[in-house]
């Protein structure tokens, strides 16, 4: 005969492990900020975001080749000249994020990247949609 008087103990360790993994996944895959311009970013790998202690500069380029730097709007051809004036307000070691529409040609994105490097910014990164 079996003894039914034993009290089974509930092991919650696997449940806690699963919940921690799900929490980590949700924290990594949380969507980012939404801008008013319609920019479709290309797909890429998602990486850990740097701490926002340094003031970062975000350069956005839409499919009509309009460049947005903070409140400034300019065409792609005007970027090099305006970047000389804008770069004086920023620390050259601050991170720069380029958000370019995926419908732009490769040469346009490389032109923006080269212009940022020529203006003296050393930490320039291309941002993707994840």
């Amino acid at each position: 005969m079996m003894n039914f008087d034993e009290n089974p103990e509930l092991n919650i360790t696997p449940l806690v492990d699963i919940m921690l993994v799900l929490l980590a996944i949700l924290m990594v895959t949380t969507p980012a900020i939404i801008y008013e311009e319609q920019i479709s970013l290309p797909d890429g790998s998602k990486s850990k975001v740097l701490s926002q202690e340094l003031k970062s500069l975000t350069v956005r380029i839409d499919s009509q080749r309009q460049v947005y730097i903070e409140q400034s709007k300019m065409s792609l051809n005007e970027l090099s000249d305006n970047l000389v004036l804008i770069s004086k307000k920023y620390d050259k070691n601050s991170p720069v994020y380029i958000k370019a529409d995926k419908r732009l040609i490769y040469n346009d994105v490389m032109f923006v990247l080269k212009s940022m490097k020529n203006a003296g910014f050393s930490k320039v990164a291309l941002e993707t949609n994840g």
Side-chain angles (χ1 to χ4, degrees):
M1 283 192 98
M2 296 183 92
N3 189 0
F4 292 105
D5 294 335
E6 296 177 10
N7 289 331
E9 293 183 22
L10 183 62
N11 186 3
I12 63 168
T13 305
L15 177 67
V16 171
D17 289 344
I18 291 172
M19 293 307 291
L20 287 175
V21 168
L22 289 176
L23 180 66
I25 290 171
L26 288 175
M27 287 172 55
V28 169
T29 58
T30 304
I33 305 167
I34 299 173
Y35 290 99
E36 64 272 3
E37 298 92 35
Q38 291 297 337
I39 296 175
S40 301
L41 294 176
D43 293 331
S45 62
K46 188 170 282 285
S47 61
K48 196 162 108 175
V49 178
L50 297 173
S51 63
Q52 297 296 328
E53 293 172 10
L54 281 174
K55 185 177 179 186
S56 64
L57 175 64
T58 303
V59 180
R60 301 181 307 279
I61 311 134
D62 65 12
S63 58
Q64 280 76 41
R65 302 176 77 212
Q66 293 294 314
V67 180
Y68 302 89
I69 301 177
E70 286 192 344
Q71 309 304 324
S72 306
K73 177 182 175 182
M74 64 201 80
S75 71
L76 196 63
N77 298 331
E78 302 167 341
L79 176 67
S80 295
D81 297 330
N82 290 339
L83 205 52
V84 174
L85 301 172
I86 292 172
S87 66
K88 293 177 182 172
K89 297 189 296 186
Y90 289 93
D91 179 17
K92 298 291 193 258
N93 291 324
S94 64
V96 178
Y97 299 106
I98 299 176
K99 292 184 171 189
D101 194 285
K102 65 182 177 184
R103 292 168 289 205
L104 285 171
I105 62 171
Y106 182 75
N107 198 30
D108 290 342
V109 179
M110 286 297 102
F111 173 75
V112 173
L113 183 63
K114 182 183 74 171
S115 299
M116 297 305 289
K117 294 275 189 180
N118 288 342
F121 292 99
S122 57
K123 298 178 181 175
V124 183
L126 297 174
E127 194 162 321
T128 60
N129 201 14

